[in-house]
């Protein structure tokens, strides 16, 4: 069983933190196919967060194909969780390491790199899925 | 809902009953012994139209024996004020502590809450004061044979008038509590107000409740029909000249009182205004109705004010 | 549960003597939402909540709870609304069991099993007198009374103001569990903002009796950005976006803006705004500004 934690100062939305923790747990084998995720009530009880946040996270995970909800029973990790295949991750990691090397070569420090990276992520998400009127 | 209101009033009601119990502890044994002494001393026969000379002494001795207790029980006329104010406390505390916000947001209406809470307080005030009156009335029986019932110590504490006093004190405390929402000051000022009004009532108002009668006679011996009457004012003239005049009320003529006449007893002419003993129930009923009406008006004001204004 | 708002106010106002404690308040509370009502002391939070619960009569405008007037149809409204007043008043001379008994007698719909089970789960002895409990325990009793009615709406006036951090967590946890279980709509007021972000999904702020910010928290936060850059005039930014707060040092300018679209100017470092900062910026620096964020359903339509 996974135990969630929240960092309200990280700037990452609460529901996304839960999603990331489930993804990480599945990746690491802490959560195995068929394992049940904590019920909404349990998460709410431990973390004192809005139930809608938990529902949002579980819905997201359901859409990603990682978990499935069974009415009246709970939310379970699917048999073949569709994570990014490990080969894809390795390639991405290599690209990123090359990028970091170039950036350091230009004289950027950690914060500058993080700023550039953050802008790029935000730029793609605001054109990707717009949530605002 | 009635059970809830009762449960919240339970402490104050028990205190009221405790007060009654303490009064009973004092009055029951002494009442029994006083009644025995009355029979034993043959006071009853002394009150007939033609007593012997020894009677005045015997009556005097009997009265002296119970003088202290008599004095103490006179102060019991403050008890209706105590009981009325005490039983107003639950309502005022509800406002002071904000717990009315809890009560009014369960699924009952404010009107119902007020009706039941105040209704229970009224019932408790009436019941405790009437019990008190009956108890004191029983205790005073020998004394009332001697002095009649218009004597202020007896009149105030027997009959039904204590109910009116109690309801007035209750209404006054409730009205102040509704305005100020502070129990300590409301109850204190309520009791002081009760006391002040009672004094006005005793020394001024009671004389006005029923038109008094007039009597004139010669000589120091008061006529028999004035027995146990309440003298409101008396003027003594000798040969047409006013010798003495006072209008303090509360004096009651005993069975064979001799009024003091300065100098020449036989030539003194007494003019008195008085209320005879037979006025007792008329006075009681009118006074009770008056106090009850004022008390009820104050209570309705407290209810209305709370209903409209409290949030 | 239907889609119509649980609470709807229209131009709602309340006057005490010559001064208005609440003015021109128009809002809707959606079913299933957990709404934070925020404002400094005296801003009108308690007044608004009392009008919603029927403890006061409006001086202007109207308020409807579950489609009915809370003051005129009190019995019908109160059976579906649970309320915990400020400082969670309770009758101190009653025991816990007697308090629950009172709830049972005064409410037509009352889940006695739930009430006792909740008390047991909280580890309290029903025989104890309420007056001898700690503040946190008393708050829990008051909450139990409100929840055992199985209400559709739960209204809490500064429920955790006087509680220590642990008691605060336990109280809010209890509220959220009830939301998870039954989908009850919650309005809770507070003058402390920091804890509300994780608990609430909607926000209403009151300043001097007027509503300032209103809407889903996620939308409110998404629309605001903190811009940090070299010392500059805010005018160019202000042409496109609404500047809520601006501050300058000798060489740096910080702007808190309500963005109307994307901020393209790359000289600004962009940061997310947290809820507390947002509320303070409106309340403290720009009390005249107001903004009601649209609900996502409205967007989809």
């Amino acid at each position: 069983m996974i135990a969630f934690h929240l960092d309200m100062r990280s700037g990452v939305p609460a529901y996304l933190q839960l999603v990331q923790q489930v993804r990480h747990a599945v990746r690491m084998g802490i959560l195995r196919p068929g394992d049940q995720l904590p019920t909404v009530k349990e998460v709410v009880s431990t973390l004192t967060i809005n139930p809608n946040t938990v529902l949002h996270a579980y819905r997201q995970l359901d859409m990603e194909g990682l978990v499935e909800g069974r009415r009246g029973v709970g939310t379970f990790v699917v048999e073949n969780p569709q994570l990014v295949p490990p080969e894809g991750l390795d390639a991405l990691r290599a690209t990123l390491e090359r990028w970091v090397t170039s950036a350091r070569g230009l004289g950027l420090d950690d914060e500058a790199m993080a700023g550039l990276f953050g802008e790029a992520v935000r730029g793609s998400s605001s054109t990707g899925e717009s949530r605002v009127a | 809902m009635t059970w809830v209101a009762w449960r919240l009033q339970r402490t104050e009601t028990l205190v009221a009953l405790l007060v009654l119990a303490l009064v009973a502890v004092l009055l029951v044994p002494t009442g029994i012994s006083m009644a025995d002494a009355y029979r034993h001393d043959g006071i009853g026969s002394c009150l007939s139209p033609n007593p012997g000379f020894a009677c005045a002494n015997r009556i005097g001795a009997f009265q002296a024996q119970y003088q202290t207790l008599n004095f103490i029980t006179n102060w019991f006329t403050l008890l209706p004020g105590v009981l009325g104010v005490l039983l107003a406390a639950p309502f005022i505390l509800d406002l002071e502590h904000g717990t009315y916000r809890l009560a009014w947001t369960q699924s009952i209406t404010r009107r119902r809450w007020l009706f039941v809470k105040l209704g229970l307080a009224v019932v408790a005030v009436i019941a405790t004061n009437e019990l008190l009156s009956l108890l004191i009335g029983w205790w005073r029986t020998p004394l009332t044979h001697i002095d009649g019932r218009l004597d202020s110590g007896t009149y105030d504490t027997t009959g039904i008038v204590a109910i009116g006093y109690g309801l007035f004190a209750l209404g006054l405390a409730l009205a102040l509590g509704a305005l100020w929402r502070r129990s300590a000051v409301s109850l204190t000022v309520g009791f002081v107000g009760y006391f002040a009004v009672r004094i006005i009532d005793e020394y001024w108002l009671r004389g006005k409740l029923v038109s008094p009668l007039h009597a004139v006679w010669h000589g120091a011996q008061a006529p028999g029909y004035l027995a146990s009457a309440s003298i409101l004012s008396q003027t003594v003239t000798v040969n047409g000249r006013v010798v003495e005049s006072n209008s303090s009320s509360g004096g009651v003529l005993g069975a064979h009182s001799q009024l003091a006449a300065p100098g020449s007893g036989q030539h003194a002419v007494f003019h008195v205004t008085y209320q005879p003993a037979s006025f007792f129930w008329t006075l009681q009923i009118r006074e009770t109705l008056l106090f009850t009406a004022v008390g009820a008006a104050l209570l309705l004001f407290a209810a209305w004010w709370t209903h409209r204004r409290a949030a | 549960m239907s889609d119509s708002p649980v609470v709807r106010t229209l131009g709602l106002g309340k006057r005490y003597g010559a001064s208005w404690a609440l003015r021109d308040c128009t809002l809707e509370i959606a079913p299933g939402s957990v709404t934070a009502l925020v404002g400094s002391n005296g801003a009108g939070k308690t007044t608004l909540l009392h009008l919603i619960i029927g403890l006061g009569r409006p001086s202007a405008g109207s308020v409807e709870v579950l489609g009915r007037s809370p003051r005129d149809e009190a019995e019908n409204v109160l059976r579906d609304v649970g309320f915990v007043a400020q400082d969670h008043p309770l009758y101190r001379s009653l025991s816990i069991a007697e308090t629950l008994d009172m709830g049972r007698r005064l409410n037509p719909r009352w889940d006695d099993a739930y009430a006792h089970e909740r008390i047991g789960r909280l580890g309290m002895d029903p025989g104890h007198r309420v007056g001898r409990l700690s503040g946190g325990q008393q708050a829990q009793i008051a909450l139990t009374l409100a929840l055992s009615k199985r209400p559709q709406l739960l209204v809490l006036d500064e429920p955790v103001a006087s509680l220590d951090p642990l008691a605060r967590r336990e109280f809010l946890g209890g509220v959220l569990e009830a939301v998870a279980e039954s989908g009850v709509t919650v309005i809770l007021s507070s003058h402390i903002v920091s804890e509300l972000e994780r608990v609430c999904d909607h926000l209403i702020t009151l300043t001097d009796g007027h509503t300032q910010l209103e809407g889903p928290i996620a939308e409110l936060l998404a629309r605001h950005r903190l811009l940090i850059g070299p010392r500059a005039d805010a005018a160019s930014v202000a042409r496109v976006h609404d500047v809520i707060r601006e501050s300058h040092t000798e060489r740096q300018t910080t702007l808190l803006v309500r963005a109307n679209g994307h901020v393209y100017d790359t000289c600004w470092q962009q940061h997310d705004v947290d809820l507390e900062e947002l509320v303070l910026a409106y309340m403290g620096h720009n009390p005249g500004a107001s903004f009601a964020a649209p609900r996502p359903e409205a967007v989809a339509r």
Side-chain angles (χ1 to χ4, degrees):
Chain A
M1 182 72 105
I2 184 177
F4 291 116
H5 68 273
L6 269 190
D7 181 359
M8 291 309 292
R9 287 178 310 195
S10 68
V12 180
Y15 89 93
L16 199 53
Q17 291 184 41
L18 299 182
V19 167
Q20 287 170 350
Q21 285 169 43
V22 170
R23 284 193 202 134
H24 183 81
V26 170
R27 202 175 294 133
M28 294 296 121
I30 297 168
L31 276 178
R32 300 199 196 108
D35 279 352
Q36 185 179 12
L37 294 183
T39 63
V40 174
K41 197 169 163 201
E42 281 163 359
V43 180
V44 160
S45 198
T46 12
L47 292 184
T48 318
I49 57 167
N50 193 298
N52 291 323
T53 311
V54 186
L55 287 171
H56 189 178
Y58 284 13
R59 266 200 302 274
Q60 173 91 357
L61 289 164
D62 193 314
M63 260 181 7
E64 288 178 10
L66 234 63
V67 305
E68 64 175 354
R70 293 178 212 157
R71 272 193 88 76
V73 191
T75 311
F76 296 83
V77 182
V78 298
E79 285 307 311
N80 295 304
Q82 297 297 309
L83 287 169
V84 179
E87 317 87 54
L89 261 186
D90 287 339
L92 270 179
R93 188 177 297 120
T95 318
L96 203 52
E97 276 164 4
R98 281 198 294 278
W99 181 87
V100 168
T101 313
S102 316
R104 283 213 199 281
L106 283 174
L108 269 65
D109 70 356
D110 289 10
E111 239 185 273
M113 282 191 278
L116 260 185
F117 185 76
E119 270 179 51
V121 169
R122 253 198 301 276
S124 79
S125 70
S126 72
T127 51
E129 41 156 8
S130 68
R131 298 172 291 139
V132 178
Chain B
M1 156 103 237
T2 316
W3 181 92
V4 176
W6 149 248
R7 176 61 187 82
L8 294 171
Q9 189 182 274
R10 193 178 67 179
T11 310
E12 286 80 2
T13 311
L14 288 179
V15 171
L17 291 176
L18 180 66
V19 167
L20 277 182
L22 289 174
V23 169
V25 159
L26 175 66
L27 292 189
V28 169
T30 54
I32 292 173
S33 82
M34 186 164 68
D36 277 343
Y38 182 85
R39 268 193 300 278
H40 181 262
D41 291 352
I43 308 286
S45 59
C46 275
L47 299 174
S48 60
N50 287 310
F53 283 113
C55 266
N57 290 336
R58 263 197 276 168
I59 291 175
F62 181 81
Q63 284 176 322
Q65 185 182 1
Y66 290 98
Q67 188 179 329
T68 318
L69 275 175
N70 194 3
F71 178 74
I72 290 174
T73 56
N74 284 349
W75 288 95
F76 286 176
T77 190
L78 291 180
L79 287 179
V82 170
L83 294 172
V85 155
L86 174 69
L87 290 163
F91 178 84
I92 307 175
L93 287 171
D94 206 18
L95 292 175
E96 186 175 5
H97 291 154
T99 44
Y100 69 96
R101 292 198 185 105
L102 176 66
W104 291 3
T105 51
Q106 306 307 303
S107 305
I108 50 164
T109 58
R110 276 178 210 208
R111 188 169 295 179
R112 185 141 170 252
W113 176 255
L114 288 170
F115 183 74
V116 176
K117 262 206 116 137
L118 295 176
L120 271 186
V122 166
V123 165
V125 164
I126 294 176
T128 48
N129 277 298
E130 187 48 29
L131 277 176
L132 189 64
S133 296
L134 290 173
L135 182 60
I136 296 177
W138 165 81
W139 185 86
R140 293 197 79 97
T141 317
L143 298 174
T144 56
H145 286 317
I146 300 174
D147 271 334
R149 306 181 75 175
L150 288 183
D151 157 38
S152 71
T154 304
Y155 178 88
D156 289 353
T157 55
T158 60
I160 55 167
V161 78
I163 294 177
Y165 297 157
L167 290 175
F168 168 74
L170 176 70
L172 183 60
L174 288 175
L176 293 174
L179 287 172
W180 295 338
R181 300 202 199 175
R182 294 254 179 284
S183 54
V185 64
S186 304
L187 299 184
T188 309
V189 174
F191 184 77
V192 168
Y194 164 82
F195 189 77
V197 168
R198 284 294 315 286
I199 303 234
I200 297 171
D201 163 54
E202 188 137 328
Y203 289 103
W204 178 79
L205 184 62
R206 196 170 297 149
K208 307 250 182 295
L209 283 177
V210 184
S211 305
L213 305 178
H214 298 273
V216 181
W217 72 89
H218 300 269
Q221 181 67 45
Y225 61 81
L226 282 182
S228 306
S230 168
I231 304 300
L232 299 180
S233 71
Q234 76 180 33
T235 308
V236 186
T237 61
V238 175
N239 298 328
R241 193 169 43 90
V242 173
V243 159
E244 185 185 297
S245 173
N246 62 56
S247 56
S248 64
S249 77
V252 165
L253 291 180
H256 298 285
S257 298
Q258 305 244 337
L259 296 176
S264 44
Q266 280 306 106
H267 297 291
V269 177
F270 289 85
H271 311 255
V272 299
T273 54
Y274 70 103
Q275 291 169 330
S278 57
F279 278 14
F280 177 77
W281 279 113
T282 314
L283 280 169
Q284 283 260 325
I285 289 172
R286 289 193 190 182
E287 194 166 332
T288 305
L289 285 176
L290 180 63
F291 273 85
T292 302
V294 175
L298 288 167
L299 183 146
L300 288 173
F301 167 78
W304 172 83
W305 184 267
T306 305
H307 186 276
R308 297 230 85 202
R309 302 303 227 90
Chain C
M1 203 152 300
S2 70
D3 271 344
S4 53
V6 172
V7 176
R8 182 192 276 135
T9 74
L10 202 57
L12 186 62
K14 176 72 182 174
R15 183 174 54 182
Y16 292 108
S19 67
W20 289 86
L22 186 72
R23 197 111 198 226
D24 216 13
C25 175
T26 300
L27 49 84
E28 284 183 5
I29 308 282
S33 59
V34 180
T35 302
L37 178 62
V38 168
S40 47
N41 291 323
K45 307 191 294 293
T46 298
T47 306
L48 174 58
L49 294 182
H50 281 187
L51 289 173
I52 290 174
I53 194 78
L55 275 178
R57 196 182 282 283
S59 309
S62 69
V63 52
E64 251 180 33
V65 175
L66 300 166
R68 310 180 201 113
S69 159
R71 188 63 196 258
D72 297 326
E73 298 177 68
E75 275 181 271
N76 272 330
V77 170
L78 289 174
R79 63 175 61 198
D80 289 318
V81 181
F83 177 60
V84 178
Q86 205 162 4
D87 294 329
H88 38 81
L90 291 169
Y91 289 105
R92 283 161 204 254
S93 60
L94 298 186
S95 69
I96 296 180
E98 283 173 323
T99 306
L100 296 185
D101 199 25
M102 176 185 79
R104 184 175 58 83
R105 289 167 188 271
L106 299 185
N107 291 292
R109 185 174 63 229
W110 177 263
D111 191 342
D112 209 35
Y114 171 82
H116 281 93
E117 187 262 336
R118 188 158 197 277
I119 298 297
R121 209 170 2 114
L122 290 165
M124 288 195 261
D125 178 355
H128 278 152
R129 262 184 2 132
V130 165
R132 297 168 85 230
L133 300 176
S134 71
Q137 290 172 315
Q138 287 181 0
Q140 291 282 14
I141 299 290
L143 181 61
T144 305
L145 270 180
L147 288 176
S148 303
K149 280 196 217 179
R150 302 320 224 150
Q152 287 189 51
L153 171 66
L154 186 63
V155 178
L156 308 171
D157 192 353
E158 303 233 20
V160 294
S162 55
L163 303 183
D164 63 73
L166 181 60
R168 276 212 281 273
R169 268 302 177 93
E170 289 175 341
F171 184 93
L172 291 174
V175 171
L176 292 169
E177 275 176 42
V179 175
E181 256 176 18
S182 63
V184 59
T185 309
V186 178
I187 309 173
L188 68 95
S189 74
S190 175
H191 59 277
I192 306 168
V193 187
S194 48
E195 297 168 325
L196 298 176
E197 207 172 331
R198 64 202 279 157
V199 168
C200 303
D201 45 48
H202 285 71
L203 175 73
I204 301 169
T205 62
L206 283 181
T207 305
D208 285 330
H210 287 89
T211 51
Q212 244 196 332
L213 282 170
E214 199 207 320
I217 291 180
E219 301 301 315
L220 289 170
L221 293 179
R223 281 293 296 271
H224 291 83
R225 309 218 65 72
L226 195 65
L227 304 179
I228 305 179
R231 176 75 192 248
D233 192 349
S236 62
V237 175
R239 267 198 286 275
V240 187
H241 311 287
D242 299 295
V243 176
I244 304 299
R245 183 190 73 200
E246 65 179 276
S247 61
H248 305 272
T249 64
E250 213 181 272
R251 303 212 192 116
Q252 188 188 44
T253 293
T254 307
L255 302 176
L256 197 152
V257 301
R258 182 168 71 231
N260 296 313
H262 199 56
V263 178
Y264 290 101
D265 196 344
T266 49
C267 77
W268 299 107
Q269 233 184 25
Q270 296 191 37
H271 295 265
D272 292 321
V273 184
D274 77 31
L275 191 62
E276 186 163 18
E277 207 172 350
L278 179 64
V279 170
L280 287 174
Y282 272 81
M283 253 191 231
H285 293 261
N286 215 330
S290 71
F291 175 59
R295 280 172 231 292
E297 309 88 60
V299 174
R301 242 177 269 133

